[in-house]
Amino acid sequence: MKKTGFVLAALALLIALVALSGAACAQNANPHAAEWLDEAMTASLETIKRVDDAGIFYKMTCDYDYDNPLFQTLLGKFGQYDAGCSAFTTWNETGDCFLTARNYDYRHTDPNGAYTGLNVALHCAPEGKYKSIGIADACWLSLAGGAYYAGVLDDGTTDTSLAVLLPYLCVDGLNEKGVSVSILKLDVKEGETPVDQQEPGKVAIGHSVLARYILDNCATVEEAVALAKEYNIRNTGGMDFHLFVTDATGASVVLEWRYNQLTVTDTNAVTNYYVGYDDAEDRYKDGVCTEKVTPLGNTVREYHYGYGHGYHRLTGIVSAVERYLDFTQEGYMTKMTPAQAMKILSVAAQDPGTEATSMTQYSVIYNAQDASATVWLQQDYTTPYSLTIE
């Protein structure tokens, strides 16, 4: 998939924000002097700090009101971005912590054509709502006309004003109640139209905005489903997505909006095809079969195989996860160490390939009970980074 879908839907928001900035940015360590920034936004931008040596991972504390009228005016034009991804759930080895494991896949390049990434770990603490941690893909800020790639958030010259949008660019996250959300790409089948709900009386939002609202407001999967029903969900330039939502009780569902209807499917694993349907097809690109449908048989859980891609990743994940089934427990729960979960993520990880969604930017495991996360960057599973909800 090309980036054009995101450009069509999100460019209006980003360009509009740039236009509002008016005055030139001040020349400081990293300028962030757009005139629409308030004091709290400016203070948060000054918390941006590099985490790794290569500059592909930063952290930022969001102590400003990102639900303010300025953003709300433009959120109707805000959408999503192209991305692959895989995710699954399991209990830890003692069965007292629920883990959500996730790969975020997208092949970004810098102005020289080299593979790059710019992911920012966010600590969000909106007043009157739940605290959360999450990871945003800041490379998409490039659509504002600048160049955002590895190392630029502390290069002394790149304007970081637009980083205040990052709460709405989170591709996954976890809140203090143990609810996690991950966004995954879907393919739109020929002859179908992507989601564009238009029920009277409901506000229209994109998938990433809904993900932010869930992290800020929901304590259970049940509450997340109820919240999703309050909004019209819209596509992004013809692209569609589904949300993998989990909570501290071990509940895990996928929300998807095929045929403009919300479908909620219980599952412990998900990639990039519809999990609530059974119309899987071999995948072709330019007349060449790039992926055959490989549904699993004899699994303890039942899995649907709808249209899209990522069948081979799901097959690998489920085959590995079912090795850890505890048949002495009701519901045949899986139990494994975080290290074992990380190994499964490494099997599903993708090297840069022919598709934009074929490069694993990072792998992350969210711990619902500890309100924490462990992150590995670009398949370097020897160097973990820890995040906690403060």
Side-chain angles (χ1 to χ4, degrees), residues 33-360:
E35 65 181 20
W36 44 266
L37 294 174
D38 61 26
E39 184 176 347
M41 293 177 188
T42 298
S44 291
L45 291 173
E46 291 174 355
T47 69
I48 294 175
K49 181 180 295 186
R50 183 185 296 219
V51 176
D52 72 309
D53 293 337
I56 59 176
F57 198 42
Y58 289 78
K59 62 182 179 180
M60 174 181 169
T61 300
C62 300
D63 282 336
Y64 55 92
D65 179 16
Y66 51 76
D67 197 21
N68 66 35
L70 170 64
F71 290 178
Q72 289 298 324
T73 300
L74 299 168
L75 281 178
K77 299 182 177 67
F78 185 75
Q80 246 292 349
Y81 28 79
D82 201 358
C85 313
S86 309
F88 69 94
T89 60
T90 182
W91 290 91
N92 70 346
E93 69 276 21
T94 56
D96 55 6
C97 289
F98 194 61
L99 310 177
T100 300
R102 141 51 162 226
N103 284 339
Y104 172 63
D105 303 331
Y106 194 84
R107 192 189 64 216
H108 285 298
T109 55
D110 66 20
N112 296 319
Y115 295 130
T116 189
L118 185 59
N119 299 297
V120 181
L122 303 181
H123 291 78
C124 295
E127 185 175 357
K129 300 178 181 180
Y130 298 132
K131 297 179 182 178
S132 67
I133 51 177
I135 303 177
D137 184 345
C139 281
W140 297 114
L141 296 177
S142 296
L143 295 172
Y148 293 84
Y149 51 92
V152 304
L153 294 185
D154 58 353
D155 63 5
T157 60
T158 300
D159 174 29
T160 59
S161 295
L162 287 175
V164 296
L165 289 177
L166 291 179
Y168 294 106
L169 292 179
C170 275
V171 292
D172 47 65
L174 172 76
N175 73 16
E176 62 181 289
K177 293 297 183 178
V179 169
S180 80
V181 184
S182 301
I183 301 175
L184 301 98
K185 177 71 169 58
L186 285 172
D187 295 327
V188 178
K189 192 173 185 178
E190 186 175 356
E192 297 181 7
T193 56
V195 61
D196 185 17
Q197 294 182 311
Q198 298 186 24
E199 185 175 336
K202 291 185 178 181
V203 174
I205 60 174
H207 298 81
S208 65
V209 177
L210 177 59
R212 170 48 52 194
Y213 289 171
I214 290 172
L215 290 174
D216 288 350
N217 298 286
C218 298
T220 64
V221 162
E222 184 178 8
E223 290 181 7
V225 173
L227 183 66
K229 294 177 180 179
E230 295 180 8
Y231 294 93
N232 285 326
I233 304 302
R234 60 163 33 143
N235 72 84
T236 303
M239 296 192 299
D240 226 334
F241 303 85
H242 52 192
L243 302 186
F244 189 43
V245 186
T246 73
D247 68 26
T249 70
S252 58
V253 302
V254 170
L255 311 182
E256 52 195 23
W257 291 263
R258 201 174 188 184
Y259 313 121
N260 280 334
Q261 298 297 316
L262 171 62
T263 300
V264 182
T265 306
D266 291 320
T267 187
N268 66 333
V270 59
T271 55
N272 305 116
Y273 61 82
Y274 291 100
V275 300
Y277 301 84
D278 285 307
D279 61 337
E281 298 179 8
D282 293 345
R283 190 164 187 256
Y284 285 82
K285 182 177 181 180
D286 300 326
V288 177
C289 183
T290 60
E291 184 176 1
K292 287 188 172 293
V293 178
T294 54
L296 286 168
N298 300 317
T299 55
V300 172
R301 297 187 67 143
E302 180 182 357
Y303 295 92
H304 295 278
Y305 293 85
Y307 182 81
H309 72 285
Y311 302 111
H312 65 291
R313 282 180 279 122
L314 193 285
T315 299
I317 288 171
V318 171
S319 297
V321 166
E322 292 221 337
R323 293 175 52 203
Y324 297 96
L325 283 166
D326 184 349
F327 291 99
T328 69
Q329 300 291 322
E330 183 179 356
Y332 302 140
M333 65 193 292
T334 58
K335 293 162 67 175
M336 68 183 77
T337 67
Q340 290 166 329
M342 180 270 287
K343 288 291 186 182
I344 296 175
L345 286 177
S346 71
V347 171
Q350 301 185 80
D351 293 331
T354 57
E355 304 219 29
T357 59
S358 61
M359 175 180 169
T360 298

